[in-house]
Amino acid sequence: MERMNDTPLPEHFTQQAEMLANRVKKRFKHLYKRFARQQIDVFRLYDWDIPEIRAVVDWYGGHLVVGEYMRRQSTPAWLPLMGRAVADAMEVPAERLHLKQRWAGRQDGKRYERIDYTDKKIVLRERDLRFLVNPYDYVDTGLFADHRDTRQMVREMAAGKDVLNLYCYTASFSCYAAKGGARSTVSVDRSKSTIAWAGENFKLNGIDPESNRLVHAHTFDFLAKARRKGRQFDLAVVDPPSYSTTKVRNAAFDILVDHPRLLSMVVELLRPQATLFFSTNHQDFIPRMETLPVTRVEEITEQTIPEDYRNKRKTIHRCWRITV
Ligand SMILES: C[S@@+](CC[C@H](N)C(=O)[O-])C[C@H]1O[C@@H](n2cnc3c(N)ncnc32)[C@H](O)[C@@H]1O
C-alpha cells in the first residue's frame, strides 16, 4: 500500500494511479507523432476515460498538467498520487508536473483564481503559430487546445475580413485570424492581465498591433459603444464563460439566460453574409437562437472537437456557426 505523509492510502488509489499512468503512456505513443508532424505542442492525453478516475491529463511540450474534477468527497492525497504516477511513467521531472483542481458549475469563479505567483510563461507551438502558456499560476494556462480546429476554421475564413473576438482571453483566435489575412481584428476582454498577455502573443507572432486592436472592456459596454459608432464586422467569435459574477458593475452574466441578448447584439454589428462562431462549455446548455435575424444556425460541435477531446461523459465545448 502507498503511503503519503504517513497516512495509508486506499489500495484502489494505487491501482488507479497505475491504470492512469499506463493509459497516458499508451496514448502519448499514439498521439505524439501525428501532433509533432503538425507542430502541435499542446494536446490531451487522458480525458476522464475511466469513470472512477475523474482526471484530465494534458501534454504541454514536455510539461504535464494533471487536473481532477473535484466533488465533495474528493480526497486531498488523490491528485498528487495520480500526478506523480503519470510523471514517473512519462519521465517528466517534478518541476514540470502541474496539478490543478477543477471545480464545475457556479464555482467556475474558482477557475480564475491564482494558485501560484511565478508569472513564468513558456512558448509553445500550435501549427505555425506560437503562444505564451503559463502552466504554473492558474487552472487555465492561456491556451484552450480544444478549440485548435475552430481557430483553424476562423483562419481559413478570415482573409480580407473585419473580425470581432469577444471574451478573447489571450486572443489565440485573433492570432489565427490575423495570420489568415484578416483586414482587421478587434479583441475584447474585461481582464487587464489577459489583454496584456494577448499583446505578448501578438508580438510573438509578428502581428501588427495597429490593425489588430486589443480592447480592455466589458463585453456589453463594448457592444453598446460599437453600435453607437456604427462599427461593422464580417466574422465574429463569441466564446463566453458560463457565468461571470462581477458585482461591481452590476454586470453578472449567465449564459443560459443571457445568450439570446448577447448574440442579437453581436448580430446587429455584422454585415450581411457574415459568420459568427459561438461556443460554450456549459454542460447543460439549451440554445435559444430561433428568433435571431439570421439565415442559418448550425451546430458544428462534431467538427470542432479534436480527436484528443472525445470524452463521452463531458463535452468539452459546443459550437455553432451562425450565418447572417
Ligand atoms: C472561456 S474564456 C474565453 C476563451 C477564449 N475565447 C479563447 O479561445 O482562448 C473567458 C474569458 O472571458 C473574459 N470575461 C468574463 N466576463 C467578461 C465580460 N463581462 N466582458 C468581457 N470579458 C469577460 C474572461 O476574462 C476570460 O478571459
Side-chain angles (χ1 to χ4, degrees):
M1 188 183 287
E2 279 261 357
R3 294 175 84 85
M4 196 166 274
N5 298 334
D6 281 340
T7 316
L9 293 171
E11 191 62 39
H12 70 278
F13 278 18
T14 321
Q15 285 161 6
Q16 287 177 357
E18 211 178 295
M19 260 160 81
L20 179 63
N22 286 337
R23 200 170 264 240
V24 164
K25 213 171 151 184
K26 213 165 130 197
R27 194 78 182 136
F28 184 79
K29 249 189 182 156
H30 177 73
L31 292 174
Y32 179 73
K33 266 197 198 139
R34 92 178 57 166
F35 281 126
R37 261 199 303 274
Q38 300 174 68
Q39 304 189 55
I40 288 172
D41 288 337
V42 182
F43 52 92
R44 183 148 285 190
L45 292 169
Y46 176 84
D47 200 15
W48 192 359
D49 305 314
I50 304 164
E52 60 277 21
I53 306 182
R54 304 169 52 90
V56 284
V57 179
D58 293 318
W59 180 253
Y60 278 83
H63 289 245
L64 277 170
V65 177
V66 181
E68 176 182 2
Y69 287 115
M70 301 298 288
R71 53 183 171 170
R72 241 175 302 129
Q73 60 269 47
S74 295
T75 312
W78 190 84
L79 180 58
L81 181 66
M82 298 301 132
R84 209 180 54 203
V86 171
D88 285 351
M90 297 287 296
E91 297 178 29
V92 166
E95 64 275 15
R96 290 184 165 213
L97 168 67
H98 312 277
L99 304 178
K100 317 270 172 169
Q101 299 182 340
R102 307 199 72 101
W103 296 91
R106 281 200 175 266
Q107 285 161 318
D108 241 14
K110 288 193 183 196
R111 291 175 52 155
Y112 303 106
E113 279 172 16
R114 263 180 178 255
I115 46 186
D116 205 347
Y117 287 85
T118 71
D119 279 325
K120 269 198 274 184
K121 294 190 184 99
I122 52 176
V123 175
L124 293 175
R125 298 168 310 168
E126 194 178 84
R127 306 188 171 95
D128 56 339
L129 286 115
R130 290 183 301 155
F131 294 102
L132 280 160
V133 168
N134 178 341
Y136 303 92
D137 295 340
Y138 308 90
V139 171
D140 292 329
T141 59
L143 187 66
F144 289 108
D146 59 299
H147 267 311
R148 74 169 88 84
D149 293 346
T150 328
R151 288 193 272 277
Q152 184 69 0
M153 282 182 192
V154 165
R155 174 190 193 144
E156 284 163 7
M157 296 182 72
K161 294 189 174 158
D162 295 315
V163 180
L164 174 63
N165 181 8
L166 295 177
Y167 307 93
C168 72
Y169 191 43
T170 57
S172 52
F173 272 108
S174 311
C175 291
Y176 268 72
K179 283 287 174 196
R183 182 165 60 179
S184 73
T185 68
V186 176
S187 309
V188 182
D189 201 285
R190 68 150 190 217
S191 153
K192 214 171 185 173
S193 58
T194 66
I195 285 292
W197 194 337
E200 294 177 74
N201 279 336
F202 279 4
K203 221 175 196 173
L204 188 62
N205 290 288
I207 290 167
D208 172 20
E210 284 301 311
S211 49
N212 298 281
R213 310 299 298 197
L214 294 168
V215 180
H216 175 223
H218 279 251
T219 292
F220 285 99
D221 291 349
F222 170 86
L223 288 171
K225 198 165 165 189
R227 183 180 166 188
R228 278 200 303 277
K229 286 183 161 176
R231 298 289 307 267
Q232 294 269 277
F233 299 92
D234 310 291
L235 183 55
V237 176
V238 181
D239 179 20
S242 299
Y243 310 102
S244 156
T245 49
T246 21
K247 289 192 189 84
V248 195
R249 298 176 55 101
N250 193 22
F253 175 81
D254 176 341
I255 198 159
L256 277 181
V257 178
D258 296 315
H259 74 277
R261 179 168 65 104
L262 170 63
L263 292 177
S264 67
M265 283 180 82
V266 177
V267 167
E268 278 186 41
L269 303 182
L270 298 181
R271 297 189 176 107
Q273 272 119 52
T275 304
L276 159 55
F277 288 95
F278 169 64
S279 177
T280 177
N281 305 99
H282 195 292
Q283 288 300 297
D284 306 306
F285 184 70
I286 303 162
R288 284 183 290 128
M289 304 183 197
E290 308 76 27
T291 56
L292 282 177
V294 295
T295 54
R296 196 162 183 214
V297 177
E298 307 156 77
E299 179 162 7
I300 55 165
T301 308
E302 280 290 315
Q303 297 163 54
T304 57
I305 296 193
E307 67 159 316
D308 47 326
Y309 282 90
R310 304 228 154 196
N311 176 334
K312 288 182 192 67
R313 249 171 300 283
K314 201 172 191 306
T315 309
I316 186 83
H317 69 240
R318 288 178 71 189
C319 190
W320 284 262
R321 184 169 47 210
I322 298 167
T323 312
V324 177

